[in-house]
Amino acid sequence: MPVQSILVLVPDMSAVPERRPTTTAAGNLSLKKLIKREVADLYKLMVCGYVLTTVREAFAVAPGLRSQRIIAVRTTEPDAYGHVHAEAVFVARFSRESLYGVQWDVADAATIVNDASDELRVRISGPSQQLTALSMSAEPDLYITGPQVTSGH
């Protein structure tokens, strides 16, 4: 069976909280503002989690599926015309066999993606190491077509 391609829509970075719970030196509860690197790291983990959930679901419902290619896309901010576009931020291929023996309750999502996938393509940029859109000119086989999504504003 050929490799199946699956598109998964992931949230943008606004889905990551700006603060995390902590305690002060006196033991009081507090909410500490996350630095940009922490937000970027949490976002990468979230995207990997969405991807792995989709991979596992696809293998569960299609027992004959041996391999799948996952493309994670997110929507952009509206442009000057109010149009929202899709941008690919993650591509990887997973084989069923590569997931055998994964310690799902111990390893984090990014570790599993790095160790169990091949053909992994992501673009990390900036000092905070943010996950950014893949260049469609550099990845012509990933060109995403379809109608534009417009905002209701």
Side-chain angles (χ1 to χ4, degrees):
M1 176 179 258
V3 176
Q4 299 298 309
S5 293
I6 300 172
L7 192 69
V8 60
L9 181 62
V10 297
D12 62 21
M13 287 197 50
S14 68
V16 177
E18 295 177 357
R19 299 182 178 273
R20 68 176 170 85
T22 187
T23 55
T24 64
N28 297 321
L29 293 177
S30 175
L31 290 174
K32 180 182 181 236
K33 185 162 177 61
L34 297 172
I35 61 173
K36 288 182 180 183
R37 177 67 184 255
E38 290 172 317
V39 172
D41 288 345
L42 285 173
Y43 183 69
K44 287 181 268 191
L45 282 173
M46 183 180 67
V47 169
C48 289
Y50 271 74
V51 165
L52 290 173
T53 299
T54 303
V55 167
R56 292 182 78 185
E57 287 176 355
F59 282 139
V61 299
L65 184 62
R66 306 299 329 147
S67 182
Q68 57 183 300
R69 182 181 194 203
I70 301 292
I71 303 170
V73 297
R74 66 182 176 200
T75 56
T76 63
E77 293 292 321
D79 63 15
Y81 303 99
H83 297 205
V84 177
H85 305 275
E87 60 184 13
V89 293
F90 176 106
V91 178
R93 191 179 74 79
F94 294 86
S95 68
R96 186 179 292 274
E97 293 76 27
S98 71
L99 299 178
Y100 293 152
V102 168
Q103 297 182 352
W104 297 100
D105 56 338
V106 177
D108 69 30
T111 300
I112 295 169
V113 164
N114 285 320
D115 293 348
S117 70
D118 56 25
E119 298 177 18
L120 178 61
R121 289 184 258 178
V122 294
R123 185 170 163 238
I124 307 296
S125 66
S128 63
Q129 299 292 292
Q130 286 188 11
L131 189 61
T132 58
L134 294 169
S135 168
M136 291 297 114
S137 60
E139 306 284 349
D141 56 328
L142 298 181
Y143 186 70
I144 301 168
T145 61
Q148 294 179 343
V149 179
T150 57
S151 68
H153 298 45

